[in-house]
Amino acid sequence: MDSLSELQEFIGECHRCPLGDTRTTLVFGVGRADADLMFVGEAPGRNEDLKGEPFVGAAGKLLDELLASIGLHRSEVYIANILKCRPPGNRNPQADEIETCTPFLREQVRLIDPKVIVTLGNFATRFVLKTSTGITGLRGSLHRAGRFTVLPIFHPAAALYDATKRNVLMADFALLGEVLAAPDEQHEPLQAELFES
Ligand code: SF4
């Protein structure tokens, strides 16, 4: 693929896994095609499924506030999910769904080529870092996945009604701001494989 629009056209009205039969709208992803910062979440929720855009509900509002805390607007970053279609009732993604859908995410990452990937919550972090460690043990510290710097953080939805987690998210975004402000030469050169440490 040469562009995100070509990839989106290739995915089309996808029915490669059973979620294609239950979703309302496929949520491809949104943002700058050449963003330095890419967020990877879990899967569309109810609002996202209706609107076709990631993070449009209360969790999206919190993400916007967190971005504003480091001087960014969502139009300057790219936001995508592990799964592009909503699991019924917001249940957890299943292994076969992740396996079928994530080649699309890999291609998005390759095309966007961000400096930093922020993984939101357990499923995104486990996929990108190839780890079984939970988000609580990984959040707030920098990791490598191939050529990418990865910062795992709590999913904003988990912080909506938990002031402690919200404060942790604020602190992790402060770190993110520092990482993004670091000179380019501190970002490692390209390596061959996506997501391989
Ligand atoms: S979740 Fe991914 S693989 Fe499954 S139908 Fe949607 S786009 Fe296709």
Short mmCIF file of all heavy atoms in Angstrom, two decimals, residues 11 14-17 19-20 23 26 84-85 100-101 104, ligand 1:
data_model
loop_
_atom_site.label_atom_id
_atom_site.label_comp_id
_atom_site.label_asym_id
_atom_site.label_seq_id
_atom_site.Cartn_x
_atom_site.Cartn_y
_atom_site.Cartn_z
N ILE A 11 -9.43 -2.35 2.61
CA ILE A 11 -10.23 -2.95 3.70
C ILE A 11 -11.71 -2.97 3.33
O ILE A 11 -12.41 -3.95 3.56
CB ILE A 11 -10.01 -2.16 5.01
CG1 ILE A 11 -8.56 -2.29 5.47
CG2 ILE A 11 -10.95 -2.69 6.11
CD1 ILE A 11 -8.20 -1.40 6.65
N CYS A 14 -15.28 -4.54 5.27
CA CYS A 14 -14.64 -5.80 5.61
C CYS A 14 -15.57 -6.77 6.36
O CYS A 14 -16.29 -6.37 7.26
CB CYS A 14 -13.41 -5.51 6.46
SG CYS A 14 -12.46 -6.96 6.90
N HIS A 15 -15.50 -8.03 5.94
CA HIS A 15 -16.19 -9.11 6.67
C HIS A 15 -15.21 -10.27 6.86
O HIS A 15 -15.60 -11.44 6.82
CB HIS A 15 -17.42 -9.58 5.90
CG HIS A 15 -18.55 -8.59 5.94
ND1 HIS A 15 -19.53 -8.61 6.91
CD2 HIS A 15 -18.81 -7.53 5.17
CE1 HIS A 15 -20.37 -7.61 6.71
NE2 HIS A 15 -19.95 -6.93 5.65
N ARG A 16 -13.92 -9.93 7.05
CA ARG A 16 -12.92 -10.98 7.19
C ARG A 16 -13.02 -11.68 8.54
O ARG A 16 -12.43 -12.74 8.72
CB ARG A 16 -11.53 -10.40 6.97
CG ARG A 16 -11.28 -9.91 5.54
CD ARG A 16 -10.00 -9.12 5.46
NE ARG A 16 -9.67 -8.64 4.12
CZ ARG A 16 -10.10 -7.50 3.59
NH1 ARG A 16 -10.92 -6.72 4.28
NH2 ARG A 16 -9.74 -7.12 2.38
N CYS A 17 -13.67 -11.05 9.54
CA CYS A 17 -13.97 -11.75 10.80
C CYS A 17 -15.43 -11.49 11.14
O CYS A 17 -16.08 -10.63 10.53
CB CYS A 17 -13.03 -11.28 11.92
SG CYS A 17 -13.57 -9.85 12.85
N LEU A 19 -16.99 -9.89 13.28
CA LEU A 19 -17.42 -8.56 13.72
C LEU A 19 -17.96 -7.73 12.56
O LEU A 19 -18.71 -6.78 12.78
CB LEU A 19 -16.25 -7.82 14.39
CG LEU A 19 -15.71 -8.48 15.67
CD1 LEU A 19 -14.57 -7.65 16.24
CD2 LEU A 19 -16.82 -8.66 16.69
N GLY A 20 -17.59 -8.12 11.36
CA GLY A 20 -18.13 -7.42 10.20
C GLY A 20 -19.63 -7.55 10.08
O GLY A 20 -20.29 -6.70 9.47
N ARG A 23 -21.14 -5.08 13.41
CA ARG A 23 -20.85 -3.64 13.56
C ARG A 23 -21.88 -2.81 12.79
O ARG A 23 -22.55 -3.31 11.88
CB ARG A 23 -19.46 -3.33 12.98
CG ARG A 23 -19.45 -3.52 11.48
CD ARG A 23 -18.37 -2.80 10.73
NE ARG A 23 -18.59 -2.91 9.33
CZ ARG A 23 -17.91 -3.71 8.50
NH1 ARG A 23 -16.91 -4.44 8.95
NH2 ARG A 23 -18.23 -3.77 7.23
N LEU A 26 -17.49 0.55 10.27
CA LEU A 26 -16.07 0.22 10.44
C LEU A 26 -15.32 1.50 10.81
O LEU A 26 -15.50 2.54 10.18
CB LEU A 26 -15.55 -0.37 9.13
CG LEU A 26 -14.15 -0.97 9.10
CD1 LEU A 26 -14.09 -2.08 8.05
CD2 LEU A 26 -13.08 0.06 8.82
N LYS A 84 -11.03 -2.86 14.16
CA LYS A 84 -11.70 -1.76 13.47
C LYS A 84 -13.21 -1.85 13.57
O LYS A 84 -13.91 -0.96 13.12
CB LYS A 84 -11.26 -1.71 12.01
CG LYS A 84 -9.75 -1.73 11.86
CD LYS A 84 -9.22 -0.77 10.85
CE LYS A 84 -7.71 -0.68 10.89
NZ LYS A 84 -7.22 -0.07 12.14
N CYS A 85 -13.71 -2.91 14.19
CA CYS A 85 -15.15 -3.06 14.34
C CYS A 85 -15.48 -3.36 15.80
O CYS A 85 -14.70 -4.04 16.49
CB CYS A 85 -15.69 -4.18 13.46
SG CYS A 85 -15.33 -3.91 11.71
N THR A 100 -6.85 -11.52 12.76
CA THR A 100 -7.38 -11.19 11.43
C THR A 100 -7.26 -9.70 11.14
O THR A 100 -6.96 -9.29 10.01
CB THR A 100 -8.85 -11.61 11.32
OG1 THR A 100 -8.96 -12.98 11.66
CG2 THR A 100 -9.39 -11.40 9.91
N CYS A 101 -7.48 -8.88 12.15
CA CYS A 101 -7.58 -7.43 11.91
C CYS A 101 -6.25 -6.68 12.00
O CYS A 101 -6.08 -5.64 11.35
CB CYS A 101 -8.57 -6.83 12.91
SG CYS A 101 -9.22 -5.23 12.39
N PHE A 104 -3.98 -4.81 9.30
CA PHE A 104 -4.37 -3.46 8.87
C PHE A 104 -3.69 -2.40 9.76
O PHE A 104 -3.24 -1.36 9.27
CB PHE A 104 -5.89 -3.28 8.93
CG PHE A 104 -6.66 -4.30 8.14
CD1 PHE A 104 -7.86 -4.79 8.59
CD2 PHE A 104 -6.17 -4.76 6.92
CE1 PHE A 104 -8.58 -5.72 7.86
CE2 PHE A 104 -6.87 -5.69 6.17
CZ PHE A 104 -8.08 -6.18 6.65
S1 SF4 B 1 -12.71 -6.26 12.97
FE1 SF4 B 1 -11.16 -6.01 11.33
S2 SF4 B 1 -11.05 -8.03 10.34
FE2 SF4 B 1 -12.96 -7.97 11.53
S3 SF4 B 1 -14.51 -7.31 10.05
FE3 SF4 B 1 -13.75 -5.47 11.13
S4 SF4 B 1 -12.10 -4.68 9.81
FE4 SF4 B 1 -12.51 -6.79 9.16
#
